[in-house]
Amino acid sequence: MKFPFTPIDLTHVLEHSIPTWDGSCGFQHIIRSDYEACASEVKFRVGEFAMQSGIGTHLDAPAHCIPGTNTIDQISLTTLIAPCVVIDVSSSCDENYRISPQDVKNFEKEFSSILSGTFVMIKTGWERFWQDPEKYRNNHQFPSVSKEAALLLMEREACGLGIDTLSPDCPESGFPVHQLFLQSNKLIVENAANLDHLPKVGSFILIIPIKVKATTEAPIRLFALIP
């Protein structure tokens, strides 16, 4: 069957060796019962997971930072589907780079203004270190988003923000991006993958979190559709 769109997977594979915020992944995939141990005619492999909630490609709900706001299970499906743009700063990024309002304006000069309800992805190129967890974490020094750029995206009424690093904020900044976006009931996606396969404009993003009651973060299957 042919579909009128091309799907692009933007999700890192979850495994025990992936980079994490605190350096200890905590992810385990355990086989509890394997095919040969199954007494029935039809054989099954049964496993279980153990993991932190905010690892891999994942979603921050507003309640991650703002008490009394939506948790993962309270986010509506309509909020999890949105038109998407990619602001690509990878050619000039290093570990100290902060995405600025000028980066947003440069994008808009080339592609037109960011429309209300758009999900904004930031491509820094930091994904190239994903297979080297120490370098990817880098003592929490990685490209991030300035408060001023976040404020401009808020003015544009972006519905969410994603980035190909551990966070749009570095600890030294005081987490202004999290505060601005989450207190406005918007979403943050961290550790996005394959942004180099996504067009700068024209795609739709779909964010599919594990629907766990009262959690403030959750791993997601993140993908985009290109008409």
Side-chain angles (χ1 to χ4, degrees):
M1 179 183 293
K2 290 187 176 181
F3 295 96
F5 51 77
T6 300
I8 304 294
D9 194 347
L10 305 175
T11 316
H12 286 295
V13 175
L14 281 178
E15 53 185 332
H16 74 278
S17 60
I18 63 172
T20 59
W21 185 262
D22 65 3
S24 60
C25 174
F27 181 80
Q28 298 179 60
H29 177 200
I30 302 167
I31 304 300
R32 306 303 297 181
S33 177
D34 216 344
Y35 306 117
E36 63 271 12
C38 192
S40 63
E41 182 177 345
V42 179
K43 307 300 182 183
F44 295 94
R45 171 176 284 177
V46 180
E48 68 179 44
F49 302 139
M51 61 183 180
Q52 301 171 16
S53 59
I55 62 171
T57 307
H58 69 275
L59 176 66
D60 287 355
H64 183 49
C65 189
I66 310 298
T69 54
N70 284 344
T71 52
I72 291 291
D73 55 304
Q74 295 171 325
I75 299 172
S76 70
L77 282 177
T78 54
T79 306
L80 298 170
I81 304 170
C84 179
V85 301
V86 180
I87 297 178
D88 184 356
V89 295
S90 58
S91 63
S92 54
C93 258
D94 60 23
E95 63 185 31
N96 298 310
Y97 197 87
R98 302 291 178 266
I99 285 77
S100 69
Q102 191 60 50
D103 290 316
V104 177
K105 292 174 183 178
N106 289 344
F107 170 88
E108 293 185 318
K109 184 176 180 180
E110 183 175 1
F111 295 104
S112 79
S113 296
I114 296 171
L115 299 178
S116 175
T118 297
F119 197 98
V120 177
M121 278 289 181
I122 305 294
K123 177 188 170 186
T124 71
W126 202 250
E127 179 191 352
R128 66 187 182 276
F129 300 120
W130 181 255
Q131 298 300 327
D132 184 349
E134 286 299 317
K135 179 59 180 174
Y136 190 86
R137 183 171 178 267
N138 200 39
N139 198 29
H140 296 149
Q141 291 295 319
F142 44 77
S144 60
V145 180
S146 69
K147 179 179 180 179
E148 293 75 17
L151 284 167
L152 181 56
L153 292 175
M154 295 290 293
E155 288 180 17
R156 300 294 190 265
E157 299 182 337
C159 67
L161 178 67
I163 195 166
D164 56 355
T165 68
L166 282 169
S167 170
D169 286 306
C170 287
E172 65 186 22
S173 69
F175 300 97
V177 180
H178 278 77
Q179 294 177 67
L180 287 167
F181 269 76
L182 299 184
Q183 73 184 1
S184 298
N185 209 34
K186 300 178 186 295
L187 306 178
I188 292 176
V189 166
E190 297 167 333
N191 299 320
N194 300 323
L195 294 183
D196 54 332
H197 298 307
L198 202 56
K200 305 296 191 302
V201 296
S203 68
F204 285 82
I205 198 167
L206 292 89
I207 307 166
I208 312 299
I210 300 174
K211 194 174 182 180
V212 179
K213 186 175 180 63
T215 189
T216 67
E217 304 170 281
I220 56 177
R221 188 64 182 264
L222 180 69
F223 61 102
L225 301 177
I226 304 173

